[in-house]
Amino acid sequence: MAQRTHRFFISTLVACVCSAHASQAPPFELREATITDVHRAFDSGELTCRELTSKYLERIQAYDAAGPTLNSIEIVNPAALQEAEALDLQFSRSGLRGPLHCIPVLLKDQVETRDMPTTYGSVVFENFLTSRDATIVSRMRAAGALILAKTTMGEFASRYVGSGVGVIRNAYDPTRNPSGSSGGTGAGIAANFGMVGIGEDTGGSIRGPAAVHSLVGLRPTVPLVSRHGMMPANPSSDTLGPMTRTVTDAAILLHVLAGYDANDPLTAYAVNHVPESYSTPLTRDGLQGARIGIIRAPMDPNTDTTSADYQKVRAVIDRAFRDLQDLGAILIDPVSFAHLDTIEDTYSGNIYETEEATDSYLAEHADPPVTTLREIVLSGDVTPWRAKGLMGLIGRTTSDAGYLKILTARERLRQSVLTTMADHNLDALVYATFDHQTTIITSDVLTNPDTQDQYALGNNRYLSPVIGFPALTVPAGFTSDNLPIGLEFLGRPFTEATLLQFGYAYEQGTHRRQPPTTTPVLP
């Protein structure tokens, strides 16, 4: 299985790391370092790319392969140290290759890499090599990035378990789930196993793991970032985006990812919508005069507003709203819009795109282990909960009458949100990413098709994918029992720069992120 591959690569690379210790530069504090910190250390001669890469590999070995066993890393790049040395050589000759020079990236294993397997979290695709890079991988590498590892993910982009990876765990409390399906990236970036991460968000899989890991997670407007080289789920709402520890790092990474790609024609809509920089607008006074509408009504029909758990989250979110006001925002509290109660059913009701999209994707490859979604389900290898969900997608197409109902419901909700924003002259909406804390992992999540783990209870993430608008989750702080809570901003299409501006001002004005105590600085 891929996990065994991960262990072998780690053991080999750590042996190389140990042999290089004698020549390392003066100590560099890795935990919570940013892109700017690293490039400054390169310029001063305090740090090399090989040393940086080695330090992350040591943390992965200490805390993912062993330690609290977060199970966030699927496959480590076996050539990581060699690539780091090549980047060091380039830096010595001509300086930084680009804005991501030697920035170690944790990449969700839903995204193809030419030099590492792509498994989609499933034993069905164990050690599957596609021999191509996804567009975003090519762009990151051209900007100097080092793809350090592929991260574990919920099987075929759902939840936090898979037949190929087992159970992914939350970095702040390994007994709890890490949200999904980009849970491995969330846990890995929170634990400082890499500098920046890539998640995929169909219904919330970037923002969920970010919220429960005190991270910044951006779901872009769907046409902004190419999906070429990524296994689809629902193409009308699938997107890829940054998962980072700071807003600035998210802005730097987004600028590398964004823009037109002929291999993903939908990105043609992004032409003339990519600014010269997503970082330039980031200022500490970025919330001054911003008109922000607060959504207080739960979007998950299962939210229990009378529970103690809900009250713990609400205390954090209410403080965040006060902070926004103190930082200069003009709050319209609360705002409401028609059809809010249809969000859950509109998202969950889209069962029509997946089979066609998956079969078309698999047809792009010369020798996949299976060629259709039906074969995946009938393999008998997929975890029971995921197999049950996928079975309900078989035989559905976008020609079905039910799909027209979904499209109509989406447009009705989109118009309602835009009208509310226009009526109140709003720049963004804001709400809790989840109204409940992330839940305890039950013992039967790998075996029971009807496991009752209350996964994603209090989920407010569906609004963004249903209407196709961008959303940014930032750390709002911690509950009284020390679990991270996320605050989510939502804006009109292609307003990522504005959302990042608001998120940065909030981040700098509050400094709510704290790293997990489960993965401290190594001795």
Side-chain angles (χ1 to χ4, degrees):
M1 292 175 66
Q3 281 291 86
R4 293 198 295 271
T5 307
H6 157 219
R7 304 300 185 229
F8 172 77
F9 287 161
I10 284 288
S11 299
T12 303
L13 288 168
V14 169
C16 296
V17 169
C18 292
S19 67
H21 273 180
S23 60
Q24 282 187 350
F28 170 77
E29 178 50 63
L30 183 73
R31 198 169 71 148
E32 301 296 282
T34 67
I35 293 173
T36 300
D37 294 335
V38 167
H39 286 173
R40 186 181 297 119
F42 288 165
D43 286 336
S44 70
E46 182 184 0
L47 184 70
T48 67
C49 184
R50 182 188 170 99
E51 289 167 347
L52 177 69
T53 305
S54 299
K55 289 176 184 294
Y56 278 124
L57 292 172
E58 289 172 339
R59 288 187 61 81
I60 292 171
Q61 172 66 14
Y63 294 131
D64 199 66
T69 318
L70 300 180
N71 194 24
S72 68
I73 302 299
E74 171 78 358
I75 303 161
V76 169
N77 180 355
L81 292 177
Q82 293 93 319
E83 291 178 22
E85 289 170 354
L87 286 164
D88 279 332
L89 180 60
Q90 179 169 10
F91 182 77
S92 69
R93 292 174 174 173
S94 55
L96 300 176
R97 177 185 295 178
L100 297 181
H101 184 93
C102 189
I103 298 305
V105 176
L106 301 184
L107 180 70
K108 186 178 183 181
D109 199 23
Q110 189 177 350
V111 181
E112 295 176 46
T113 45
R114 65 177 184 268
D115 49 4
M116 287 175 275
T118 304
T119 74
Y120 319 107
S122 180
V123 72
V124 177
F125 285 85
E126 180 182 359
N127 297 323
F128 174 54
L129 286 166
T130 71
S131 74
R132 70 179 184 183
D133 280 342
T135 295
I136 66 162
V137 174
S138 298
R139 289 180 175 176
M140 287 189 292
R141 282 179 161 152
L146 191 157
I147 309 301
L148 182 66
K150 307 287 285 292
T151 56
T152 51
M153 59 177 283
E155 192 161 17
F156 299 115
S158 184
R159 292 169 60 92
Y160 61 98
V161 301
S163 62
V165 301
V167 180
I168 312 166
R169 298 183 178 275
N170 190 292
Y172 287 84
D173 180 353
T175 69
R176 294 178 182 262
N177 78 69
S179 190
S181 60
S182 308
T185 303
I189 295 299
N192 285 264
F193 297 158
M195 180 147 288
V196 299
I198 295 292
E200 185 276 332
D201 194 311
T202 298
S205 296
I206 289 173
R207 294 159 293 136
V212 305
H213 283 107
S214 194
L215 296 177
V216 176
L218 175 67
R219 174 192 165 84
T221 311
V222 170
L224 186 64
V225 175
S226 173
R227 291 88 47 88
H228 176 67
M230 178 205 86
M231 178 177 275
N234 287 334
S236 65
S237 57
D238 293 342
T239 187
L240 293 156
M243 298 174 68
T244 61
R245 293 184 292 272
T246 70
V247 174
T248 299
D249 282 0
I252 293 170
L253 180 54
L254 178 64
H255 195 75
V256 172
L257 304 178
Y260 173 64
D261 173 25
N263 291 310
D264 184 354
L266 192 66
T267 58
Y269 285 96
V271 173
N272 295 326
H273 288 294
V274 181
E276 291 187 8
S277 170
Y278 286 105
S279 303
T280 302
L282 304 184
T283 60
R284 291 177 178 269
D285 62 354
L287 280 163
Q288 285 290 333
R291 293 182 59 84
I292 298 177
I294 293 178
I295 300 177
R296 291 187 178 271
M299 301 181 219
D300 179 355
N302 295 314
T303 297
D304 181 2
T305 59
T306 66
S307 69
D309 180 75
Y310 175 87
Q311 298 303 326
K312 290 178 185 177
V313 175
R314 184 50 47 185
V316 176
I317 293 299
D318 285 344
R319 182 186 63 184
F321 293 160
R322 292 193 298 271
D323 289 335
L324 291 173
Q325 191 166 35
D326 291 343
L327 291 166
I330 300 168
L331 302 184
I332 292 78
D333 181 15
V335 296
S336 61
F337 49 89
H339 313 299
L340 182 144
D341 60 346
T342 68
I343 294 172
E344 176 86 17
D345 289 343
T346 302
Y347 176 80
S348 301
N350 183 13
I351 57 176
Y352 305 100
E353 300 178 18
T354 307
E355 184 174 19
E356 289 179 339
T358 303
D359 292 357
S360 295
Y361 170 80
L362 292 172
E364 297 173 6
H365 298 90
D367 189 27
V370 293
T371 59
T372 66
L373 182 63
R374 185 182 296 269
E375 288 182 50
I376 290 172
V377 174
L378 295 179
S379 70
D381 292 324
V382 180
T383 49
W385 190 95
R386 189 61 179 129
K388 179 182 177 182
L390 291 173
M391 183 63 74
L393 308 175
I394 301 298
R396 308 285 188 170
T397 77
T398 54
S399 298
D400 294 357
Y403 189 55
L404 177 60
K405 293 181 180 179
I406 294 298
L407 296 180
T408 302
R410 282 179 173 177
E411 183 55 36
R412 186 170 55 236
L413 188 58
R414 185 180 296 119
Q415 185 63 56
S416 177
V417 171
L418 285 172
T419 299
T420 296
M421 294 184 73
D423 287 344
H424 295 285
N425 191 26
L426 298 178
D427 298 301
L429 298 170
V430 69
Y431 46 89
T433 305
F434 292 106
D435 283 325
H436 285 279
Q437 296 172 304
T438 190
T439 54
I440 299 291
I441 299 169
T442 58
S443 60
D444 63 354
V445 290
L446 279 170
T447 58
N448 186 352
D450 297 304
T451 183
Q452 300 298 310
D453 61 353
Q454 293 188 302
Y455 172 74
L457 182 64
N459 180 20
N460 295 324
R461 297 172 294 168
Y462 287 163
L463 177 60
S464 171
V466 166
I467 64 177
F469 294 4
L472 174 74
T473 290
V474 295
F478 293 78
T479 57
S480 56
D481 47 355
N482 296 316
L483 291 176
I485 302 300
L487 181 72
E488 188 160 319
F489 295 89
L490 180 142
R492 295 178 179 85
F494 300 110
T495 57
E496 285 81 4
T498 299
L499 298 183
L500 290 164
Q501 173 188 323
F502 294 164
Y504 179 82
Y506 175 78
E507 171 193 72
Q508 295 301 304
T510 60
H511 298 285
R512 298 298 184 203
R513 169 163 170 82
Q514 296 293 329
T517 58
T518 58
T519 55
V521 174
L522 288 174

